[in-house]
Amino acid sequence: APSELATVFWEKAMISTLPQGWLATYVGYGIFAGVTFGVLLMMDVLECFLHALRLHWVEFQNKFFAADGIRFAPYSFKEIINEHCAT
């Protein structure tokens, strides 16, 4: 996703300013660099936030989990056939 966004930013900020002269290209590069940096920074912050949120969730839930319910038994066709044939 970041490479596709960078391609779109490059086309809109740089390619469109190249025929207009050096000043427009200079400003276009500044816009391209700023927007690209901003998007990458936001994505990295979101990644760190979600990782910390997941860790808080996992660590918090372990303090209250008692495991006093019904034991998990995975679905098995073999077990169903064996039970059916035994009766």
Side-chain angles (χ1 to χ4, degrees), residues 4 6 13 20 37 45 51 56 59 64 67-69 71 75 82:
E4 293 172 0
Q20 297 175 4
F37 179 75
V45 167
H51 182 64
H56 278 86
E59 295 297 325
F64 303 104
D68 56 354
R71 185 169 177 86
Y75 189 77
N82 288 340

Side-chain angles (χ1 to χ4, degrees), residues 72-87:
F72 174 73
Y75 189 77
S76 170
F77 286 112
K78 185 177 181 181
E79 191 70 32
I80 294 172
I81 292 170
N82 288 340
E83 288 177 5
H84 182 69
C85 290
T87 59

Side-chain angles (χ1 to χ4, degrees), residues 46-60:
L46 181 64
E47 175 189 356
C48 294
F49 168 73
L50 290 176
H51 182 64
L53 186 66
R54 184 192 68 81
L55 284 176
H56 278 86
W57 176 261
V58 169
E59 295 297 325
F60 183 71

